[in-house]
Every structure is written in C-alpha cells, then in structure tokens.
Amino acid sequence: MRRLARKHQITVYTSTALDYVTWRNQYPPGSSEDEGVTVRRFAVERERDQESFNRFSDWIYSNRHSDEDEKRWLEDQGPLCPELVSAFQAEQERFDAVIFYTYLYYPTVECLRLVTRPCLLVPTAHREPAARLRMYGDVYRRPDGLIFNTHAEGRLVQEMYHPPCKHRQVAGVGITPPSRQQGKLKLGRPSILYAGRIDAGKGCAELVEYFIRFRVYQMPCHLYLMGSLQMRLPKHPGIQYLGYLSEEDKFAAYRAADVTAIPSRFESLSIVALESLYCGTPILVNAGSDVLREHCTRSNAGLYYGDFDEFAETLGYILRRGDVAAELGGRGKRYVAENYTWDKVLARYDSALQQVLNR
C-alpha cells in the first residue's frame, strides 16, 4: 500500500488486531497516517476460540449444512468487525475504486456484498477446505476484476468458481532485499534452509522426518529453520532453530544455504521461494502445491518432490552437484528480476485499476 500511495491516495480499512489466530485487539481504534497511507482501524467484537472453531470447521467441511451455518463459521473465523463494514458502506462513495485483499475473511465477504464502486479482489487463493464453502462462490461473482499472485492461482480460481469478471491480472509482489548486504550469519555445509512459520500445517513435521531419514542413509548435512516456532523440534545434531532474524541475516542465510526447502502444500505465491531465488539459492518444494511447482517449472531454478524417495533423490542431487546448484541459482535470479520487481508489480496493479475504472 505504501508503494501504491506514491501515485494514489490510499485509505486502508482494517481491524485493531495483530494476531490472526486470536484476533485479539492490539491497536487503538481510529485513524492514523503511515507513510502516506490513511489507516482506519476498527475493533474486533470477539476473539477467536481456536479449539471451538477447529471443531466447527471439521464439522462444516464434511457435513451438509445451511447458509446460517456458513455465516456462523465466517463470524467465528473472524475478524468480526461489523463497525468496519458499516463504515465502508457509508463512506465508499468517496473512493474511485476498492481493492479487497484475501477472499477468506469476514471484512471481505461482507463488504463485497455492499460494494458499489469499481473493485478488484486479490484472493490469495489456494486449495484449502474452506474454499469449498458456498458463500465463496458469491464472493467471486462480485468483483469487477481479479489480481492473482501466480498463474497457478488464477487457474485454480477459474476451475473452482468460474468467476464472470473479464478483467484479470497476474501481478505478484516485489522482492525487497535489505539495503545493507552484510549479514553476519554463517551456516554449516551442506545446508538446507526453511523460512517461515514452523508448524505441521506448513509441512514442517514431514520435512523434519524426511531430513532425519535422509541424513541417516544419504549424507551428513544440516537443517536450519528460521521463523515463528509453532511445533516442537526434535533434539538432533543436524537440526538447528535460528529464531527470528534481522532482514540482513535472513538474506545472508538464503545466500549461505545450499537449498531452501518449502514443504507446504498451500501457497498462493511464497515470498520465501522468491527471496531464495533472488539470492541465487535453488528451491526444493512440495509437488502438492501447484504454485510452488509452477515456480520451479517457469524459472527452471528448483526441483519438487511428492514422497520421501523423491525428496531424497532431488535433495541429494542438489547437495552433491554444486555446479547444478549454481546453474539453478543463476536462473532463479533472472526469474525474479524479470517478474518480481516492484516497478513491474505496480505497473500491473495500475493496469488492473485502469481496466475496472473503465468498466
């Protein structure tokens, strides 16, 4: 938004929450300015009870249910901000266009039902159980245009919803390396890096299991994990948790690693993949993710696996063939430079906005 604000007047409607798991109110409600962006925050009426929500989600995904059940599920998921919806309805005529980010949550679903201005939806969609709920078919019928992070995401949305809008753009996001390139972090060699939220839902439990098996039967190596730790890691001489890193050290870790592993099956873009490729480090990804697999095939800078045997074969190939890893890394750098710089991404957003304004 800050980058769009260099050319457009931007107002963001959002919640006062910081944690998307609990939606606990963190910031004061009201208006503020953030580097040229007006930010309007609205209180969340209730926090999410994760245990109760998970039980209800399991039920609604696997049973016949009513529209009222889906409404309850949406409110339980949160962030429940009816004041945000009311303010948007009352004030939307002040804006030339509206951009909704992520299809999944209460503010997008409710505000799209009320929108009268030209609008774009950036769905950040991937294959997840919630995507099959009926209400999301209505969500995709309402925008004038769609902006996708990847071509694979666009194909998924078309396959699932057949949205009627004719304006579609694949934009992605730009990669922003730190201005200072002197990160101090060093890794043992050979090394596999994981970056992001560390939990079983992101494929990390499987990654750890595969790594331990690989290390026993193939070769000594190291697995480094950086990010938010949401699961217990085994005590193992080859596994090290790096915690949260500065931007400088994060990019230093990418550059020092032999390969970045991305075991998630659910991605709409994967900043981690793009940051790793920007640094010239190849990626090894879960073949169950259409998006990650597409990054590999379009860039020719990574490999993918579907089971342990493929994981062991592809990882061993990268770690043993430094010449191949270097070639993959060079292709990755070119891929990011050609597709994911901010000037290219912002030009795509401007093009999409112009299309819906001329609807």
Side-chain angles (χ1 to χ4, degrees), residues 214 218 284 303 305 307-320:
F214 175 84
Q218 295 273 353
L284 178 62
L303 301 177
Y305 62 91
D307 55 26
F308 172 72
D309 289 338
E310 290 181 358
F311 174 87
E313 183 176 350
T314 51
L315 178 59
Y317 184 65
I318 292 173
L319 296 185
R320 291 187 178 95

Side-chain angles (χ1 to χ4, degrees), residues 42-43 45 81-88 106:
F42 299 85
E45 282 200 351
C81 301
E83 289 185 1
L84 182 157
V85 176
S86 297
F88 172 78
Y106 173 92

Side-chain angles (χ1 to χ4, degrees), residues 14-20 22-27 41-44 79:
T14 188
S15 76
T16 56
L18 176 62
D19 179 0
Y20 75 94
T22 65
W23 299 119
R24 183 172 298 119
N25 289 308
Q26 177 79 20
Y27 300 103
R41 295 190 180 275
F42 299 85
V44 180

Side-chain angles (χ1 to χ4, degrees), residues 72-332:
R72 175 192 155 190
W73 180 91
L74 183 70
E75 293 180 353
D76 287 353
Q77 179 188 224
L80 183 60
C81 301
E83 289 185 1
L84 182 157
V85 176
S86 297
F88 172 78
Q89 183 178 19
E91 301 164 10
Q92 63 173 306
E93 293 303 319
R94 298 194 295 114
F95 304 108
D96 295 312
V98 181
I99 303 177
F100 294 94
Y101 278 89
T102 79
Y103 80 97
L104 191 63
Y105 295 107
Y106 173 92
T108 293
V109 175
E110 293 301 316
C111 290
L112 264 172
R113 289 177 177 145
L114 302 170
V115 69
T116 59
R117 306 304 296 151
C119 67
L120 291 162
L121 170 64
V122 185
T124 65
H126 53 264
R127 296 185 188 277
E128 58 185 338
R132 299 193 301 269
L133 296 178
R134 288 189 300 274
M135 64 181 158
Y136 292 121
D138 183 60
V139 164
Y140 282 97
R141 284 190 289 271
R142 294 183 178 273
D144 300 297
L146 293 161
I147 296 180
F148 300 113
N149 280 327
T150 60
H151 295 275
E153 182 196 0
R155 290 193 299 271
L156 173 64
V157 168
Q158 179 61 31
E159 169 194 323
M160 294 189 69
Y161 305 105
H162 303 284
C165 65
K166 63 180 180 179
H167 302 306
R168 306 182 190 199
Q169 179 70 264
V170 177
V173 300
I175 297 304
T176 307
S179 56
R180 201 167 57 88
Q181 297 290 318
Q182 300 301 317
K184 300 176 182 179
L185 189 70
K186 295 183 180 180
L187 305 181
R189 304 292 296 274
S191 58
I192 303 101
L193 180 68
Y194 173 87
R197 192 171 77 249
I198 303 164
D199 67 24
K202 299 292 283 185
C204 294
E206 182 181 82
L207 173 63
V208 168
E209 176 198 340
Y210 282 7
F211 168 78
I212 292 172
R213 291 171 63 187
F214 175 84
R215 197 174 188 267
V216 169
Y217 295 109
Q218 295 273 353
M219 61 191 298
C221 52
H222 305 270
L223 173 62
Y224 295 94
L225 302 101
M226 59 180 179
S228 171
L229 187 60
Q230 303 293 324
M231 58 175 266
R232 180 173 295 179
L233 293 174
K235 293 183 178 180
H236 188 281
I239 298 174
Q240 183 175 342
Y241 173 53
L242 300 175
Y244 286 101
L245 301 181
S246 68
E247 285 296 293
E248 291 82 2
D249 280 344
K250 179 178 75 170
F251 276 79
Y254 284 127
R255 291 191 295 270
D258 292 284
V259 61
T260 299
I262 311 173
S264 172
R265 290 177 171 83
F266 306 113
E267 298 290 336
S268 67
L269 177 64
S270 182
I271 298 294
V272 169
L274 300 181
E275 289 177 341
S276 181
L277 295 177
Y278 172 89
C279 292
T281 299
I283 55 177
L284 178 62
V285 311
N286 193 314
S289 167
D290 296 341
V291 166
L292 292 172
R293 198 169 65 248
E294 182 178 272
H295 280 317
C296 291
T297 56
R298 288 175 66 88
S299 67
N300 202 12
L303 301 177
Y304 48 86
Y305 62 91
D307 55 26
F308 172 72
D309 289 338
E310 290 181 358
F311 174 87
E313 183 176 350
T314 51
L315 178 59
Y317 184 65
I318 292 173
L319 296 185
R320 291 187 178 95
R321 292 290 304 273
D323 57 332
V324 171
E327 186 175 348
L328 293 174
R331 293 173 187 160

